[in-house]
Amino acid sequence: MDRNTIIGLILIAGIVLTWTFFFSSDGEQKPLPQPKSPTETSATGASSADTAAGTVAAVPMGMDTAAFNALSDSAKDAAIATEKSREHGVFANLYEGEDKVFEVETDKYKIGIHTKGGRIGALQLKEFQTADSMILPIQTDREFNGLSVNFMQAANVKYPNVSTSDLYFTPTSTTTKLVVTGDSKDSISFRAAVDETHFIEYVYVFKGNAYDYGLRIKQSGMETIAQKKQMSVNWQAEIPKTEKTMELMREKTSLFYRESGSVEDLGATSQPEAPVEAENRVDWIAFHSQFFTHTLMTEKDGGSLDNAKVFHANPIPPDPANENSGDVVKLMNAQFDIPIATIPNGSVNFQFYAGPLDFKILKTYDRDMIKQIALGWGPLQYVNRWLTIPIFNFLEGFIGSYGLIILLLGLIIKTLIYPLTYRTYISTAKMRVVNNTPEVKELDLKFKDDPTKLQQAKMAIYRKYGVSMFGGCWPMLVQYPFLIALFFFFPNAIELRQQSFLWAPDLSTYDSIWDLGFNIPMYGDHVSLFTLLMTASIFGYTIINQRMQPQQTANPVMKWFPYIMPIFLLAFLNRYSAGLSWYYFLSNLISISQTIITKYFVSDEKLMDSLREKAKKIEADPNKKKGTLERWAAKQQEKQRDIAASRAEGRGEGKSQGAKTTPPKKRR
């Protein structure tokens, strides 16, 4: 369990309270979840459905029940209509209706659009499955999932706040299913109309072979009805559990948004205590899960989401004792404003992307959409963007097994950085052969009780042969960015999701060969075989390197350090991607092979002969007898002497020019 998770557990109660408090206010923005509409439960407790069925009529407020019952049916209807108008103003008739679902199916997804709210409910990707082999949902069909427009009526009514999620829309199509395939494009619209000149309309545009769809929000005459000259859009959703483990998926689920060209991440494990308000223009907001994203984008011609606020939080788990229980990963909410009268042609257009976090696909949308994929921080992302991903995609084009692709990827990368590996080996070999010379072994005996003097004496001999203790460090350090970059790549590569290899059914998650039935702190509740193999390969590589290293008698404790690190990696990577452990295992095997082959072709005797020749050249050049640091220190000292001499000379000149000469006094 990492530090962020622990902090999240402590703050979760406060976060949920904050969530409830913020989204339960009576503003223009839609709360989550919604209580029942006032028309659903009348003053007498009878529902509108009962009234429509003719069972119990709702008595308008201020009217006696007996007097109401004495009215004719037409008079009762008029009284009820008057009461509804008092409650909801000109939108009263839109609060009643039948919620129908219109189905839309393309090559990529299935969508259900509700007439109540005109909102998208269920959204499922046809080409992907959950860890339970079900069709994968981007969004589930919950009443509070979806997008709504909120505003306040200008009329003096009991409930002036209007949310389209409570209104019943009328579809323009008479069919209940729309099928779009291939390169074709089609649309379907839903209208909530007060009358012919005052309405809000949603027009959905779908493509057959793309993961994106469009939404055009049209309005007519709303500037004369609404109190303010802008409407508030509220987009909210639950992120459903689709992967193997809730804990790992929650760590990688977050809300992203792009503000003034910079992509911001609310943080997967950290929770904001209040909605985050963007200070500048925002042009897209993404509800981002481990491998998929649902992103709302403005038009490319400079549109923006004004006064944007974003928020996410962990849900309250069904089992309080298990924070990872349930099927909801996170709760997402985004709010922003759109103008009314200034909307060109009375409409505003949005584009949604609902699909995989695939680098090739997201790159086509520009606007830094690819930054939703965790490729690493700093320069590491460029290693993945310009090296790992191109090689991976190239191999993917003609190899079907992703386990073999990882194998070839490891061979290619280790071959590319072999010159650095070779330099590290040569530097280590030089230290080893020098330490095996009689003069160094004599020092080991002479100063065996004084490690400091022993190290100083050895440094003198290293300088004699031109060997640097740090010569092999920088080539080794240059290799680390490749290892760390791949640590980001494999767990986030959707290409590995649900791809089996050997005993691992899914290379994007851990390969459990034994479920323990209990949890070991820092390790987990299962045993990953690829992680065990990786750890064993690290031990093997460490043993080989230790035998090649010069003896470190000055600090013998350090020789055990390389054996401790694999244990930490075993615990840390046990729940990580099997593809990552498989790569590290292969990388270690390749490194061992390269070391053995290099050792076979590099003769210690010839290496020592070359060092002796180098020692003669150093002996012939007095300046080279000193080490790099010593030469630098000598130069600095020489500069200081020159500066001091110049100052002394200046003081001497001043004294000779300004001093007065007085004759010495004569003795009496």
Side-chain angles (χ1 to χ4, degrees):
M1 181 179 296
D2 59 19
R3 177 177 58 86
N4 289 332
T5 303
I6 296 174
I7 295 174
L9 290 173
I10 296 174
L11 295 179
I12 188 170
I15 295 165
V16 173
L17 291 175
T18 304
W19 175 271
T20 306
F21 175 80
F22 180 80
F23 293 105
S24 61
S25 59
D26 292 331
E28 295 180 11
Q29 297 167 341
K30 180 68 177 173
L32 186 153
Q34 284 294 317
K36 288 186 176 181
S37 169
T39 56
E40 294 179 16
T41 305
S42 68
T44 61
S47 66
S48 58
D50 291 336
T51 303
T55 54
V56 180
V59 179
M61 292 182 64
M63 180 175 289
D64 181 75
T65 303
F68 177 77
N69 290 333
L71 296 175
S72 64
D73 290 342
S74 59
K76 288 180 180 179
D77 292 340
I80 293 174
T82 301
E83 173 64 15
K84 290 179 180 179
S85 179
R86 190 187 71 83
E87 289 183 342
H88 298 293
V90 296
F91 293 92
N93 291 334
L94 297 176
Y95 277 85
E96 288 187 356
E98 181 182 358
D99 186 18
K100 298 180 180 180
V101 179
F102 280 70
E103 297 180 9
V104 178
E105 183 172 354
T106 71
D107 298 335
K108 301 296 184 181
Y109 47 69
K110 293 181 178 180
I111 287 180
I113 306 177
H114 289 257
T115 55
K116 183 179 181 182
R119 65 178 181 86
I120 288 180
L123 195 163
Q124 301 171 313
L125 297 183
K126 296 168 60 176
E127 298 175 326
F128 298 91
Q129 292 184 334
T130 66
D132 300 326
S133 300
M134 305 293 290
I135 186 171
L136 189 138
I138 289 287
Q139 180 174 291
T140 55
D141 193 7
R142 303 284 181 90
E143 183 179 0
F144 42 80
N145 285 341
L147 182 144
S148 63
V149 175
N150 309 284
F151 56 94
M152 184 176 290
Q153 293 186 74
N156 184 20
V157 295
K158 185 176 181 181
Y159 303 109
N161 293 330
V162 178
S163 173
T164 56
S165 62
D166 292 327
L167 307 181
Y168 287 87
F169 284 64
T170 301
T172 57
S173 174
T174 57
T175 62
T176 58
K177 186 170 184 177
L178 176 67
V179 178
V180 187
T181 60
D183 296 329
S184 60
K185 182 187 296 186
D186 208 341
S187 63
I188 184 171
S189 60
F190 298 80
R191 177 177 292 189
V194 174
D195 52 43
E196 292 184 357
T197 59
H198 298 81
F199 61 82
I200 296 176
E201 185 175 23
Y202 293 166
V203 181
Y204 293 97
V205 181
F206 301 100
K207 306 173 186 177
N209 56 2
Y211 288 105
D212 59 87
Y213 62 93
L215 170 60
R216 183 185 308 118
I217 300 178
K218 300 174 64 177
Q219 68 84 22
S220 175
M222 297 305 299
E223 65 272 13
T224 63
I225 297 177
Q227 287 188 18
K228 299 180 180 180
K229 299 309 177 185
Q230 62 185 19
M231 298 180 180
S232 174
V233 176
N234 188 72
W235 183 38
Q236 56 197 21
E238 297 174 331
I239 301 298
K241 180 178 179 292
T242 58
E243 309 306 318
K244 187 174 183 178
T245 60
M246 173 69 81
E247 181 182 10
L248 185 58
M249 185 177 179
R250 184 166 288 161
E251 288 180 5
K252 295 181 178 294
T253 297
S254 185
L255 190 151
F256 287 75
Y257 62 99
R258 187 172 185 258
E259 180 182 4
S260 295
S262 176
V263 177
E264 305 293 335
D265 177 9
L266 286 192
T269 54
S270 62
Q271 303 290 340
E273 296 182 358
V276 176
E277 299 186 23
E279 298 179 356
N280 302 297
R281 61 182 299 274
V282 172
D283 60 358
W284 59 256
I285 299 172
F287 295 168
H288 170 287
S289 66
Q290 184 174 357
F291 291 109
F292 302 91
T293 180
H294 198 180
T295 302
L296 183 156
M297 296 174 279
T298 62
E299 294 180 285
K300 288 188 177 182
D301 57 355
S304 65
L305 310 176
D306 299 332
N307 304 319
K309 298 179 181 180
V310 291
F311 186 71
H312 72 167
N314 292 339
I316 299 175
D319 181 5
N322 181 9
E323 63 173 335
N324 293 316
S325 61
D327 57 0
V328 177
V329 181
K330 278 187 184 293
L331 308 172
M332 301 287 189
N333 184 274
Q335 300 169 354
F336 55 90
D337 296 332
I338 57 174
I340 299 178
T342 58
I343 295 177
N345 301 320
S347 66
V348 59
N349 296 322
F350 299 106
Q351 184 181 20
F352 289 80
Y353 172 83
L357 288 166
D358 188 300
F359 186 88
K360 298 187 296 294
I361 299 176
L362 293 182
K363 192 175 181 180
T364 63
Y365 289 89
D366 299 325
R367 293 196 281 182
D368 296 323
M369 285 278 284
I370 58 174
K371 289 189 176 180
Q372 293 189 53
I373 305 175
L375 297 178
W377 32 261
L380 298 180
Q381 60 180 312
Y382 299 107
V383 174
N384 281 324
R385 288 186 62 175
W386 305 113
L387 179 67
T388 306
I389 292 177
I391 295 175
F392 190 90
N393 291 340
F394 171 76
L395 296 174
E396 190 181 21
F398 58 89
I399 298 177
S401 171
Y402 283 90
L404 295 179
I405 290 175
I406 294 174
L407 170 61
L408 292 176
L409 179 66
L411 286 170
I412 293 172
I413 292 179
K414 294 298 288 186
T415 301
L416 290 175
I417 63 176
Y418 177 70
L420 300 174
T421 306
Y422 178 79
R423 293 200 63 174
T424 302
Y425 175 87
I426 293 298
S427 179
T428 304
K430 288 179 179 179
M431 292 286 294
R432 184 181 67 253
V433 297
V434 170
N435 277 341
N436 286 331
T437 58
E439 52 188 324
V440 173
K441 291 183 178 180
E442 183 179 346
L443 292 176
D444 290 333
L445 296 175
K446 183 178 180 180
F447 299 109
K448 63 180 180 179
D449 297 326
D450 194 340
T452 302
K453 289 186 177 181
L454 174 62
Q455 196 66 24
Q456 292 174 349
K458 282 188 174 182
M459 288 293 294
I461 294 178
Y462 294 155
R463 288 195 297 270
K464 171 184 174 182
Y465 288 103
V467 175
S468 173
M469 292 184 64
F470 307 102
C473 291
W474 74 264
M476 183 179 297
L477 292 175
V478 173
Q479 300 178 52
Y480 283 138
F482 296 92
L483 292 175
I484 301 174
L486 290 164
F487 172 81
F488 287 96
F489 172 74
F490 285 112
N492 298 297
I494 192 170
E495 292 87 352
L496 300 182
R497 185 179 183 272
Q498 297 184 349
Q499 295 293 330
S500 62
F501 180 69
L502 299 178
W503 56 85
D506 187 347
L507 286 172
S508 70
T509 187
Y510 59 83
D511 56 309
S512 176
I513 60 168
W514 184 19
D515 293 329
L516 300 176
F518 57 90
N519 185 70
I520 299 176
M522 295 183 63
Y523 181 73
D525 58 0
H526 63 275
V527 176
S528 170
L529 181 54
F530 274 131
T531 309
L532 288 177
L533 291 174
M534 178 208 65
T535 306
S537 67
I538 295 177
F539 273 113
Y541 190 39
T542 301
I543 292 171
I544 293 175
N545 278 339
Q546 286 290 86
R547 291 177 179 177
M548 293 177 56
Q549 293 285 344
Q551 296 181 0
Q552 301 292 335
T553 55
N555 191 0
V557 177
M558 291 298 295
K559 71 179 182 179
W560 296 106
F561 184 75
Y563 296 98
I564 298 174
M565 289 304 298
I567 298 176
F568 284 103
L569 288 174
L570 174 65
F572 182 72
L573 296 177
N574 187 58
R575 66 188 185 96
Y576 266 71
S577 162
L580 177 66
S581 296
W582 169 235
Y583 176 83
Y584 282 167
F585 169 66
L586 293 171
S587 179
N588 291 327
L589 291 184
I590 296 170
S591 296
I592 292 172
S593 302
Q594 288 178 339
T595 301
I596 294 173
I597 294 172
T598 304
K599 184 178 180 181
Y600 179 79
F601 285 101
V602 176
S603 170
D604 287 357
E605 290 78 9
K606 292 182 179 180
L607 190 60
M608 191 64 221
D609 290 340
S610 67
L611 291 176
R612 291 192 180 100
E613 290 295 325
K614 188 174 184 179
K616 292 179 181 179
K617 294 180 181 179
I618 294 174
E619 186 68 24
D621 187 351
N623 191 44
K624 289 186 177 181
K625 291 181 181 180
K626 298 178 180 180
T628 303
L629 293 178
E630 289 178 306
R631 291 197 299 269
W632 177 84
K635 289 181 180 179
Q636 296 302 314
Q637 290 174 358
E638 185 177 352
K639 289 181 180 179
Q640 292 297 326
R641 285 194 297 268
D642 293 341
I643 294 172
S646 299
R647 290 176 178 174
E649 184 179 354
R651 288 195 298 269
E653 292 175 356
K655 184 176 180 180
S656 62
Q657 293 175 2
K660 293 182 179 180
T661 58
T662 56
K665 294 181 179 179
K666 296 182 178 179
R667 291 183 181 181
R668 292 181 178 179

